[in-house]
Amino acid sequence: PSFQLTDQDNVIFTDQEFFGKITVLDFMFTKCMGPCPIMSNNMRNLYEEYRASDRIQFVSITVDPRNDNQKTLKDYSKNQGVDDLRWKFLTGDIDNIKSISQDGFLLFADNLPAGHSIKFILIDSKKRIRKYYNGMDLSEIQILKKDIKKLLAL
């Protein structure tokens, strides 16, 4: 989907940033007491595992932009160990975020922030959605790693 959001460094991020990169994307929020800490931990492990590759980026879009402003996302990214530009935490208008989730990625976005998807989405370097994975399931994360490896080999 076409979109424009702002990252934790207050830099505009658009869907055009997907071109030329393998992307793992999820929807989350920083004050989540449910699945988000597990998902963020799994995303952090992927971020660390692929540290040597500049061909992979990670994108987390907040579903609670009222609370997750740029400073909150910056602090959260630091707590996740983000020290480069490979993992973006994005915020913007809630209606835009709902549209990105529902219309763009075909994921439910009812009752946000609590009703967000727990899926990780693999997007190839041509901006095509390749597959969805349960972001809390370690066996699915292993499948995601295999799929990333296949894309890196292309």
Side-chain angles (χ1 to χ4, degrees):
S2 293
F3 68 85
Q4 178 176 313
L5 297 171
T6 305
D7 75 9
Q8 72 266 29
D9 295 314
N10 207 30
V11 175
I12 298 296
F13 185 98
T14 73
D15 57 290
Q16 298 302 305
E17 308 289 335
F18 294 143
F19 284 114
K21 298 271 187 184
I22 297 164
T23 305
V24 180
L25 182 142
D26 73 340
F27 291 87
M28 50 66 72
F29 65 108
T30 62
K31 294 189 181 354
C32 178
M33 300 307 276
C36 297
I38 296 166
M39 292 168 56
S40 289
N41 184 60
N42 290 338
M43 189 75 86
R44 181 179 57 246
N45 290 338
L46 291 167
Y47 168 80
E48 290 297 332
E49 184 162 338
Y50 294 100
R51 182 169 286 283
S53 178
D54 61 354
R55 294 182 54 206
I56 303 174
Q57 66 182 347
F58 302 90
V59 175
S60 295
I61 301 175
T62 182
V63 293
D64 187 15
R66 183 180 312 154
N67 292 307
D68 290 344
N69 60 31
Q70 182 265 328
K71 182 187 180 325
T72 302
L73 292 176
K74 182 69 173 178
D75 292 344
Y76 191 79
S77 72
K78 285 182 181 179
N79 289 337
Q80 295 301 319
V82 176
D83 58 7
D84 59 23
L85 301 175
R86 294 178 305 114
W87 190 358
K88 300 291 187 175
F89 290 85
L90 306 180
T91 189
D93 176 74
I94 188 63
D95 291 329
N96 191 16
I97 291 168
K98 281 183 182 179
S99 176
I100 292 165
S101 180
Q102 291 176 329
D103 304 329
F105 291 107
L106 307 177
L107 298 171
F108 58 88
D110 295 336
N111 192 32
L112 293 180
H116 69 88
S117 172
I118 59 167
K119 297 293 185 187
F120 283 6
I121 306 160
L122 180 62
I123 304 162
D124 70 18
S125 62
K126 294 181 180 171
K127 199 179 147 187
R128 298 178 297 201
I129 297 171
R130 286 300 190 108
K131 196 170 177 182
Y132 297 83
Y133 309 81
N134 181 331
M136 297 179 54
D137 185 330
L138 291 179
S139 64
E140 289 205 22
I141 300 299
Q142 292 304 315
I143 296 168
L144 170 58
K145 289 179 187 180
K146 289 178 184 176
D147 292 341
I148 289 171
K149 186 176 180 180
K150 288 176 190 173
L151 289 178
L152 285 171
L154 295 178

